[in-house]
Coordinates of all heavy atoms in Angstrom, one line a residue:
I2 N -114.1 122.6 95.5 CA -114.8 121.4 96.1 C -113.9 120.7 97.1 O -112.6 120.7 96.9 CB -115.4 120.5 95.0 CG1 -116.4 119.5 95.6 CG2 -114.3 119.8 94.3 CD1 -117.3 118.8 94.5
A3 N -114.4 120.0 98.1 CA -113.5 119.3 99.1 C -114.0 117.9 99.3 O -115.2 117.7 99.2 CB -113.5 120.2 100.3
F4 N -113.1 117.0 99.6 CA -113.4 115.6 99.9 C -112.5 115.1 101.1 O -111.5 115.6 101.4 CB -113.1 114.8 98.7 CG -113.8 115.2 97.4 CD1 -113.2 116.0 96.5 CD2 -115.1 114.8 97.2 CE1 -113.9 116.4 95.3 CE2 -115.8 115.2 96.0 CZ -115.2 116.0 95.1
Q5 N -113.1 114.0 101.8 CA -112.2 113.3 102.6 C -111.1 112.7 101.8 O -111.3 112.0 100.8 CB -113.1 112.3 103.3 CG -112.6 111.7 104.7 CD -111.6 110.5 104.5 OE1 -111.3 110.1 103.3 NE2 -111.2 110.0 105.6
S6 N -109.8 112.8 102.2 CA -108.7 112.5 101.4 C -108.6 111.0 101.0 O -108.5 110.7 99.8 CB -107.4 112.9 102.1 OG -107.2 112.1 103.3
Q7 N -108.9 110.1 101.9 CA -108.8 108.6 101.6 C -110.0 108.2 100.7 O -109.8 107.4 99.8 CB -108.8 107.8 102.8 CG -108.5 106.3 102.6 CD -107.1 106.1 101.8 OE1 -106.1 106.7 102.3 NE2 -107.1 105.5 100.8
F8 N -111.1 108.8 100.9 CA -112.3 108.5 100.0 C -112.0 109.0 98.6 O -112.2 108.2 97.6 CB -113.5 109.2 100.5 CG -114.2 108.6 101.7 CD1 -113.6 107.5 102.4 CD2 -115.4 109.1 102.2 CE1 -114.2 106.9 103.5 CE2 -116.0 108.5 103.3 CZ -115.4 107.5 103.9
L9 N -111.3 110.1 98.5 CA -111.0 110.6 97.1 C -109.9 109.7 96.5 O -110.0 109.3 95.3 CB -110.4 112.0 97.2 CG -109.9 112.7 96.0 CD1 -111.1 112.8 94.9 CD2 -109.4 114.0 96.3
L10 N -108.9 109.3 97.3 CA -107.8 108.5 96.7 C -108.4 107.1 96.3 O -107.9 106.5 95.3 CB -106.8 108.2 97.8 CG -105.9 109.5 98.0 CD1 -104.9 109.3 99.2 CD2 -105.0 109.8 96.8
D11 N -109.3 106.5 97.1 CA -109.8 105.2 96.8 C -110.5 105.2 95.4 O -110.4 104.3 94.6 CB -110.9 104.8 97.8 CG -110.3 104.3 99.1 OD1 -109.1 104.0 99.1 OD2 -111.0 104.3 100.1
G12 N -111.2 106.3 95.1 CA -111.8 106.4 93.8 C -110.8 106.6 92.7 O -110.9 105.9 91.6
L13 N -109.9 107.4 92.9 CA -108.8 107.6 91.8 C -107.9 106.5 91.6 O -107.6 106.1 90.5 CB -107.9 108.9 92.2 CG -108.6 110.2 92.2 CD1 -107.8 111.3 92.8 CD2 -109.0 110.6 90.8
I14 N -107.5 105.7 92.7 CA -106.8 104.6 92.4 C -107.5 103.4 91.8 O -106.9 102.6 91.1 CB -106.3 104.1 93.8 CG1 -105.3 105.1 94.5 CG2 -105.6 102.7 93.8 CD1 -104.9 104.8 96.0
G15 N -108.8 103.5 91.8 CA -109.7 102.5 91.1 C -109.7 102.7 89.6 O -110.0 101.8 88.8
V16 N -109.3 103.9 89.1 CA -109.3 104.2 87.8 C -108.2 103.5 87.1 O -107.0 103.6 87.5 CB -109.3 105.7 87.5 CG1 -109.1 106.0 86.0 CG2 -110.5 106.3 88.0
E17 N -108.4 102.6 86.0 CA -107.3 101.9 85.4 C -106.8 102.6 84.1 O -105.9 102.1 83.5 CB -107.8 100.5 85.1 CG -108.1 99.7 86.3 CD -108.4 98.2 86.2 OE1 -108.9 97.9 85.0 OE2 -108.3 97.4 87.0
T18 N -107.5 103.6 83.6 CA -107.0 104.4 82.5 C -106.1 105.4 83.0 O -106.0 105.8 84.2 CB -108.1 105.0 81.7 OG1 -109.0 105.9 82.6 CG2 -109.0 103.9 81.1
E19 N -105.2 106.0 82.1 CA -104.2 107.0 82.4 C -104.8 108.3 82.9 O -104.3 109.0 83.8 CB -103.3 107.3 81.3 CG -102.4 106.1 80.9 CD -101.4 106.4 79.8 OE1 -101.4 107.6 79.4 OE2 -100.6 105.6 79.4
V20 N -106.0 108.6 82.5 CA -106.7 109.8 82.7 C -108.1 109.5 83.5 O -108.8 108.6 83.1 CB -107.0 110.6 81.5 CG1 -107.9 111.9 81.8 CG2 -105.7 111.1 80.8
A21 N -108.3 110.2 84.5 CA -109.6 110.1 85.2 C -110.5 111.3 84.9 O -110.0 112.4 84.7 CB -109.4 110.1 86.7
C22 N -111.8 111.0 84.8 CA -112.8 112.1 84.6 C -113.5 112.4 85.9 O -114.0 111.4 86.5 CB -113.7 111.7 83.4 SG -115.2 112.8 83.3
I23 N -113.5 113.6 86.3 CA -114.2 114.0 87.5 C -115.4 114.9 87.1 O -115.2 116.0 86.6 CB -113.3 114.7 88.5 CG1 -112.0 113.8 88.8 CG2 -114.1 115.0 89.8 CD1 -111.0 114.6 89.6
N24 N -116.6 114.4 87.3 CA -117.8 115.1 87.0 C -118.4 115.8 88.2 O -118.5 115.2 89.2 CB -118.9 114.2 86.4 CG -118.4 113.5 85.1 OD1 -118.4 114.1 84.1 ND2 -118.1 112.2 85.2
M25 N -118.7 117.0 88.1 CA -119.2 117.8 89.3 C -120.3 118.7 88.9 O -120.5 119.1 87.7 CB -118.1 118.7 89.8 CG -116.9 117.9 90.4 SD -115.3 118.8 90.6 CE -114.8 118.9 88.9
E26 N -121.1 119.1 89.9 CA -122.2 120.1 89.7 C -122.1 121.3 90.5 O -122.2 122.4 90.1 CB -123.6 119.5 90.0 CG -124.0 118.3 89.1 CD -125.3 117.7 89.6 OE1 -126.1 118.4 90.2 OE2 -125.6 116.6 89.2
S27 N -121.8 121.1 91.9 CA -121.6 122.2 92.8 C -120.7 121.8 93.9 O -120.5 120.5 94.1 CB -122.9 122.7 93.2 OG -123.4 121.9 94.2
P28 N -120.1 122.7 94.8 CA -119.4 122.3 95.9 C -120.1 121.5 96.9 O -119.4 120.8 97.8 CB -118.9 123.7 96.5 CG -119.1 124.7 95.3 CD -120.2 124.2 94.5
T29 N -121.4 121.5 97.0 CA -122.2 120.8 97.9 C -122.8 119.5 97.5 O -123.5 118.8 98.2 CB -123.3 121.7 98.5 OG1 -124.2 122.1 97.3 CG2 -122.8 122.9 99.1
R30 N -122.5 119.2 96.2 CA -123.1 117.9 95.6 C -122.0 116.9 95.5 O -120.8 117.2 95.3 CB -123.7 118.2 94.3 CG -124.8 119.2 94.3 CD -126.1 118.6 94.9 NE -126.6 117.5 94.1 CZ -127.6 116.7 94.4 NH1 -128.1 116.7 95.7 NH2 -128.0 115.7 93.6
P31 N -122.4 115.6 95.5 CA -121.3 114.5 95.2 C -120.7 114.7 93.8 O -121.3 115.3 92.9 CB -122.1 113.2 95.3 CG -123.4 113.6 96.1 CD -123.7 115.0 95.7
A32 N -119.5 114.2 93.7 CA -118.8 114.1 92.4 C -118.7 112.7 91.9 O -118.6 111.8 92.8 CB -117.4 114.7 92.5
L33 N -118.7 112.5 90.6 CA -118.5 111.2 90.0 C -117.1 111.0 89.4 O -116.9 111.8 88.4 CB -119.6 110.9 89.0 CG -119.6 109.6 88.3 CD1 -120.0 108.5 89.3 CD2 -120.5 109.5 87.1
I34 N -116.4 110.2 89.8 CA -115.1 109.9 89.3 C -115.3 108.6 88.4 O -115.9 107.7 88.7 CB -114.0 109.5 90.3 CG1 -113.8 110.7 91.2 CG2 -112.7 109.1 89.7 CD1 -113.0 110.5 92.4
Q35 N -114.7 108.7 87.1 CA -114.8 107.4 86.3 C -113.6 107.3 85.4 O -112.8 108.3 85.3 CB -116.0 107.6 85.4 CG -116.1 108.8 84.4 CD -117.3 108.9 83.7 OE1 -118.5 108.9 84.3 NE2 -117.3 109.1 82.4
D36 N -113.4 106.2 84.8 CA -112.3 106.0 83.8 C -112.7 106.6 82.5 O -113.9 107.0 82.3 CB -112.0 104.5 83.6 CG -113.2 103.6 83.4 OD1 -114.2 104.2 82.8 OD2 -113.2 102.4 83.6
V37 N -111.7 106.8 81.6 CA -111.9 107.5 80.3 C -111.4 106.5 79.3 O -110.3 106.5 78.8 CB -111.1 108.8 80.2 CG1 -111.5 109.5 78.9 CG2 -111.5 109.7 81.4
P38 N -112.3 105.5 78.9 CA -111.9 104.5 78.0 C -112.0 104.8 76.5 O -112.3 103.9 75.6 CB -112.8 103.3 78.3 CG -114.0 104.0 78.8 CD -113.6 105.3 79.4
G39 N -111.9 106.1 76.1 CA -112.0 106.5 74.7 C -113.5 106.5 74.4 O -114.3 107.3 75.0
D40 N -114.0 105.9 73.3 CA -115.3 106.0 72.9 C -116.2 105.1 73.6 O -117.4 105.2 73.5 CB -115.4 105.7 71.4 CG -114.7 106.7 70.5 OD1 -114.6 107.9 71.0 OD2 -114.2 106.4 69.4
A41 N -115.7 104.1 74.4 CA -116.6 103.2 75.1 C -117.2 103.7 76.3 O -116.8 104.8 76.8 CB -115.7 101.9 75.4
Q42 N -118.2 103.1 76.8 CA -118.8 103.5 78.1 C -117.8 103.2 79.2 O -117.0 102.2 79.2 CB -120.1 102.7 78.3 CG -121.2 103.1 77.4 CD -121.9 104.4 77.9 OE1 -121.4 105.4 77.3 NE2 -122.7 104.4 78.8
P43 N -117.8 104.1 80.3 CA -116.9 103.8 81.4 C -117.2 102.5 82.1 O -118.4 102.2 82.3 CB -117.1 105.0 82.4 CG -118.5 105.5 81.9 CD -118.7 105.3 80.5
A44 N -116.2 101.8 82.4 CA -116.4 100.5 83.1 C -116.4 100.7 84.7 O -117.1 99.9 85.4 CB -115.2 99.5 82.8
F45 N -115.7 101.7 85.1 CA -115.6 101.9 86.6 C -116.2 103.4 86.9 O -115.8 104.3 86.3 CB -114.2 101.9 87.1 CG -114.0 102.3 88.5 CD1 -114.5 101.6 89.5 CD2 -113.3 103.5 88.8 CE1 -114.3 102.0 90.8 CE2 -113.0 103.9 90.1 CZ -113.5 103.1 91.1
R46 N -117.1 103.4 87.9 CA -117.6 104.7 88.3 C -117.6 104.7 89.9 O -117.9 103.8 90.5 CB -119.1 104.8 87.8 CG -119.2 105.0 86.3 CD -120.6 104.7 85.7 NE -120.9 103.3 86.0 CZ -122.1 102.8 86.0 NH1 -123.2 103.6 85.7 NH2 -122.3 101.5 86.1

């Protein structure tokens, strides 16, 4: 999958946990970046 580099970085830099979760479906669909706060719901998407 491919992304505009700064758009990708803006999302990753916004993640405040040590690990980021990247959810994907296919190369032509958007991806969802979110924090990984353990058992809690993600605060940042």
